[in-house]
Amino acid sequence: MKKISQITPHSVGTKAYNLHLIQKDGLRVPTFSVFSFDLFQSEEVQDFFTKQQEQYDNGEYSLDEFSQVLQEMVIDFFSREDFQVIDTFQSEQIGKEFSVRSSANVEDAAAASFAGQFTTKLFVPVSDLVAAIQASLLSLYQPSALSYYFDHQLTVGEVQLYVIVQEMIQGELSGVYFTANPQGLLNEHLIVVGEGVGSGIVEDRVATTMVTIHPEEQLSYFETTDQSPIITNEQQHLLTQMATQIMTLFGPYMDIEFTFRENELYVLQARPITKMSPEPSVILDNSNIVESYPGTTTPLTFSFIQEAYSSIFRGLAKRLLKNDEKTLAAFEPTFQQMIAQSNSRVYYQINNWYKLLQLLPFSKKVIPIWQEMLGVQTPQITDSVQISKFTHLKIMGRMMKSFVQAPSEMQQLEREFDQIFAYFNQNYHANASFDELYELFEQIKDQILAKWDVTLVNDLYAFIYTGILKKVHSTEAVQAEIAGIEQIESMKPVIELNKIIASIQKIENQDYRSLIQQLKSTDVQEFLVTNEHSLTKSIQQFILLFGDRAPEELKLETPTFRSQPQRLIQLIQQQLTLPIGTTVVEKPTTTHRTNFVLRWMRKRALLGIKYRESSRLNRTRIYGMMRLIFVTMGERLVEQKCLQQLDDVFYLTMSELFTLSKTQQSMQLEINQRKQKHLVDRQLPAFSRFVFTNQPFEKYPQNINQESVGNMTAQLQGVGCSQGIVQGQIIVIEDVQQMDVQQTYGKIIVTKMTDPGWVYLLTQAKGIIAEKGSLLSHTAIISRELGIPAVVNVQQATRQFKTNDWVEIDGQTGRIRRLEGENDKSELDDYSSKTK
């Protein structure tokens, strides 16, 4: 045997060389020595390996017999080794304990790790080193290792062993750090930890905790078992720093063993995660769509929006490809998977969006604008369906025609939608049979989806013209331009509600105001039906036109003013205790001179944004109609004893809902399981992106223990989208359903994102900070209309701040400053006097 003094890539196995590089890079590694065996250099031994391999290949040995022959030979030759170097080592290390590990020349490669194939000995007294080294050597020829060789087209003669003799570290906490989820999730890190040394984890002898981390978002959560340990924030920080260093050395997807002793972190080994494809296959991204479907979503909602998205994008492709049935057929899988669901949250399947976008003329110019307008932070272009240059030219012509016709088509769509909305209100009734409801659903769905693809053209229309404005104007100027939209649809609900409240506050309506303020929730339904006052009729008309506008309004399970009118009365009661709410502010006017072309561009941008907002309000009404149909279907199923309670309907898919009335087969077990999973999914952090190597998969955590917090900074930066500087106290909103306008009055709202239904809360706020959003997101549009500063795309805002913190936000630059002392707060404006 020899002790290797010069460690190079070719002088020792991968495991030993990796440890050498890790130690050289400054990470703490237990002191180790590497030894080689003379027997692998012997021609006699190599001839023996060759001969025995041939006999095994010819069927003369079973695998067990082959293993026995090889081990007997190795024992014989091992006994002939020169152990002087070991004797010397032992004499220098009296009283110490060691771990003895293999470092085979084929081990720890990206294609084959040989994990668990070779013997490791722990707590080896210095006097027992020779026996432990022999055990490691013999493990090269145990049956399981031999099978592993043959599965990877290796012969026994190709495999050579070096042995690592390493200082034994008795850690209090040990584990494995994966810099990618080995199941095939590239942007997720996993840490598995248990008390004691690592062998206890591998052999399932100790309780373990798994930590899931998304480093880019600084989000993590723990899954614990009984008596399993929780690593501290400091330990997790040390581990992520260590992982980053090792990824820099070896590559992005590593399997790292570690231990903590007296809070000192030691790296025990590092190897590539085997069979991990470096290329993403499916990318889920919640940019923009999280505004429409924040938080978790039930199966009924997802099945509906999945059909809607596939129909609308199929319509867009038909608009561009006309009768090219072959190309349309090639895109069909893409249409079916425009969105995906992961742990009850909705995501764009972003690869497929890029495929369709590449159909567009000048796609290389269009895609960056689309990314910016939707807030896609990490671009990922994928291969598209191949089409001919001639087809591209035809698409270009059709797209240009669609652009020219977009405003008139949007006008026509609005007129037709008004007819559909009126038809629904005439034909829906709460006592309709299941079959009547299904027929109404099909009629409404087919009429809406037939032409709704023009809204996608209009979105692109708005994005492109706004993007051009941003190229030639300052951020402040573009904000001012966009804020000049007249009669924006998103503001109509709050304007109409303010009119009702102002009327209730008039002196001549004092009796009615007193009646409203004393009205109990349980009496609202009867009041709205029986009271003949003109203001009651105004409230009824408001519910008819705007009753579907509510936070999280595009989730069918969300209660709205239409489904629960007592919520509207509660909002009116709250508003009556406050000063008159904010309405649309006077639009800022631009002071810069523009030529005719830029004025024309501005007009096009504002027109596109206006129609985009009106289509979003109509989309809200679509979901309101669908909600009423599905809920009423649920009532019929409860009457038929197919469901136990009405809310169960939301845990069915559309196809299950439509067939349940006929099959009468109980799905209560599946419903209860889905409800339980939904509750668990709500506890998971809302990760923004998943990068899968194959098909997406769900998580099934059992016990989520805690969620970690990102790094706190004195100053934060986002994207300014509504100009103005304001100082104030924060209110962090995690669950908008638990909020009312009295709580947000005079505060700076901090949230993950908003949707159109937040408009009532925003009218009372001083400013807003959101984790998601872009220049054309709902947060940006409404805050500009209200004249309140807004900053979006602020990473981890809901964890960086706490309710009652004081901050200053600049809605133009996107800068946020913490206000720590009294001097910082001295310039706070008097919000009460401002709003009176």
Side-chain angles (χ1 to χ4, degrees), residues 713-735:
T713 56
Q715 290 192 359
L716 290 166
Q717 181 70 42
V719 175
C721 60
S722 179
Q723 61 182 305
I725 298 175
V726 69
Q727 296 178 331
Q729 233 177 342
I730 275 173
I731 180 167
V732 177
I733 299 182
E734 293 281 1
D735 184 356

Side-chain angles (χ1 to χ4, degrees), residues 220-398:
S220 65
Y221 65 92
F222 294 83
E223 292 178 62
T224 59
T225 57
D226 290 342
Q227 299 180 334
S228 65
I230 294 292
I231 64 174
T232 65
N233 285 338
E234 182 183 358
Q235 288 171 329
Q236 183 173 328
H237 181 64
L238 288 172
L239 285 168
T240 52
Q241 278 189 323
M242 172 269 293
T244 301
Q245 216 169 322
I246 287 179
M247 287 190 291
T248 302
L249 283 173
F250 303 114
Y253 311 126
M254 298 296 294
D255 170 347
I256 308 162
E257 293 184 20
F258 64 86
T259 191
F260 281 99
R261 184 177 69 179
E262 298 178 352
N263 291 321
E264 297 286 355
L265 174 61
Y266 291 84
V267 180
L268 304 180
Q269 69 176 36
R271 59 186 171 216
I273 301 173
T274 56
K275 301 180 180 178
M276 174 68 75
S277 170
E279 297 300 323
S281 174
V282 176
I283 301 173
L284 306 186
D285 191 295
N286 73 357
S287 298
N288 185 254
I289 199 170
V290 73
E291 288 189 21
S292 299
Y293 307 99
T296 53
T297 301
T298 60
L300 183 61
T301 295
F302 181 74
S303 63
F304 176 70
I305 61 177
Q306 188 172 43
E307 179 170 336
Y309 268 84
S310 63
S311 297
I312 293 166
F313 278 91
R314 189 182 294 108
L316 177 64
K318 286 181 179 179
R319 174 187 291 267
L320 299 178
L321 294 166
K322 294 296 183 184
N323 298 320
D324 188 345
E325 297 296 335
K326 182 179 179 181
T327 306
L328 282 170
F331 271 106
E332 187 57 35
T334 303
F335 303 143
Q336 297 291 337
Q337 299 177 63
M338 296 304 297
I339 61 170
Q341 194 171 32
S342 181
N343 286 100
S344 302
R345 299 179 191 272
V346 182
Y347 293 84
Y348 290 139
Q349 192 153 319
I350 205 77
N351 321 53
N352 291 335
W353 285 72
Y354 282 115
K355 283 182 182 178
L356 285 179
L357 284 169
Q358 288 181 81
L359 275 177
L360 300 177
F362 311 111
S363 60
K364 291 183 179 179
K365 300 289 186 182
V366 170
I367 286 174
I369 294 174
W370 172 82
Q371 289 168 172
E372 183 178 4
M373 294 298 107
L374 261 66
V376 178
Q377 296 185 3
T378 310
Q380 185 71 44
I381 304 296
T382 57
D383 293 335
S384 62
V385 174
Q386 296 300 312
I387 57 177
S388 67
K389 290 183 178 179
F390 180 63
T391 301
H392 261 303
L393 287 173
K394 289 193 290 185
I395 289 172
M396 183 182 298
R398 291 164 187 156

Side-chain angles (χ1 to χ4, degrees), residues 490-641:
S490 293
M491 288 305 304
K492 285 185 178 179
V494 76
I495 292 171
E496 294 304 315
L497 183 60
N498 278 347
K499 288 179 181 178
I500 292 172
I501 292 169
S503 295
I504 294 174
Q505 289 175 323
K506 290 180 179 179
I507 295 175
E508 61 265 30
N509 291 322
Q510 282 184 348
D511 291 343
Y512 189 81
R513 174 175 179 169
S514 178
L515 182 61
I516 285 288
Q517 287 177 319
Q518 295 174 30
L519 189 62
K520 296 180 180 179
S521 295
T522 53
D523 299 330
V524 168
Q525 292 280 9
E526 183 181 356
F527 172 81
L528 291 176
V529 172
T530 60
N531 187 275
E532 296 293 331
H533 198 285
S534 61
L535 283 172
T536 303
K537 296 186 184 301
S538 296
I539 292 172
Q540 291 172 333
Q541 183 68 10
F542 180 88
I543 292 173
L544 178 65
L545 295 178
F546 306 112
D548 301 308
R549 175 117 293 177
E552 304 184 357
E553 63 195 15
L554 299 188
K555 297 197 286 190
L556 297 172
E557 60 273 17
T558 296
T560 64
F561 296 154
R562 186 191 296 272
S563 63
Q564 295 184 13
Q566 63 269 24
R567 287 175 170 258
L568 175 59
I569 300 302
Q570 288 170 356
L571 176 61
I572 292 173
Q573 290 170 339
Q574 293 162 8
Q575 292 273 38
L576 289 173
T577 67
L578 302 174
I580 298 296
T582 305
T583 58
V584 183
V585 299
E586 183 179 349
K587 305 296 187 298
T589 56
T590 55
T591 57
H592 53 276
R593 296 182 179 180
T594 57
N595 58 35
F596 169 78
V597 173
L598 290 180
R599 289 197 301 273
W600 185 83
M601 289 286 185
R602 173 186 178 275
K603 184 178 180 181
R604 302 276 79 75
L606 300 190
L607 196 60
I609 295 169
K610 177 182 175 181
Y611 282 129
R612 184 169 189 256
E613 289 301 305
S614 65
S615 68
R616 292 176 81 171
L617 182 58
N618 286 337
R619 182 182 62 177
T620 298
R621 291 172 174 148
I622 293 169
Y623 278 75
M625 292 186 283
M626 297 297 111
R627 182 181 291 109
L628 274 181
I629 290 174
F630 292 144
V631 168
T632 311
M633 283 181 167
E635 290 174 351
R636 300 294 88 85
L637 292 175
V638 171
E639 293 166 0
Q640 297 172 28
K641 309 297 184 185

Side-chain angles (χ1 to χ4, degrees), residues 744-775:
T744 61
Y745 178 72
K747 299 292 181 66
I748 294 175
I749 291 175
V750 173
T751 184
K752 288 183 170 63
M753 79 295 295
T754 72
D755 62 35
W758 282 61
V759 67
Y760 306 109
L761 295 178
L762 295 181
T763 60
Q764 303 302 326
K766 216 174 187 183
I768 184 165
I769 300 169
E771 292 181 1
K772 299 288 182 182
S774 66
L775 193 63

Side-chain angles (χ1 to χ4, degrees), residues 631-793:
V631 168
T632 311
M633 283 181 167
E635 290 174 351
R636 300 294 88 85
L637 292 175
V638 171
E639 293 166 0
Q640 297 172 28
K641 309 297 184 185
C642 294
L643 296 177
Q644 287 184 357
Q645 57 190 39
L646 182 56
D647 283 354
D648 289 347
V649 72
F650 300 119
Y651 294 89
L652 299 170
T653 65
M654 279 201 308
S655 61
E656 291 169 346
L657 171 61
F658 296 153
T659 59
L660 189 57
S661 179
K662 295 179 181 179
T663 63
Q664 299 283 310
Q665 293 180 348
S666 174
M667 289 192 62
Q668 203 59 47
L669 178 61
E670 291 92 332
I671 289 170
N672 292 341
Q673 289 173 340
R674 290 170 185 175
K675 283 184 172 182
Q676 182 58 38
K677 184 176 185 301
H678 194 260
L679 287 173
V680 175
D681 288 345
R682 289 180 64 181
Q683 299 177 56
L684 292 172
F687 296 126
S688 298
R689 176 172 278 226
F690 293 104
V691 183
F692 294 95
T693 58
N694 293 298
Q695 290 304 307
F697 56 84
E698 293 266 302
K699 300 292 191 67
Y700 293 89
Q702 299 302 308
N703 184 19
I704 301 172
N705 185 275
Q706 83 180 71
E707 189 176 325
S708 75
V709 179
N711 293 330
M712 307 293 280
T713 56
Q715 290 192 359
L716 290 166
Q717 181 70 42
V719 175
C721 60
S722 179
Q723 61 182 305
I725 298 175
V726 69
Q727 296 178 331
Q729 233 177 342
I730 275 173
I731 180 167
V732 177
I733 299 182
E734 293 281 1
D735 184 356
V736 68
Q737 301 296 346
Q738 304 301 317
M739 255 329 114
D740 61 49
V741 294
Q742 291 171 317
Q743 293 169 287
T744 61
Y745 178 72
K747 299 292 181 66
I748 294 175
I749 291 175
V750 173
T751 184
K752 288 183 170 63
M753 79 295 295
T754 72
D755 62 35
W758 282 61
V759 67
Y760 306 109
L761 295 178
L762 295 181
T763 60
Q764 303 302 326
K766 216 174 187 183
I768 184 165
I769 300 169
E771 292 181 1
K772 299 288 182 182
S774 66
L775 193 63
L776 293 188
S777 66
H778 176 75
T779 305
I781 294 288
I782 295 301
S783 60
R784 283 192 292 268
E785 291 302 308
L786 294 173
I788 60 174
V791 180
V792 300
N793 261 336

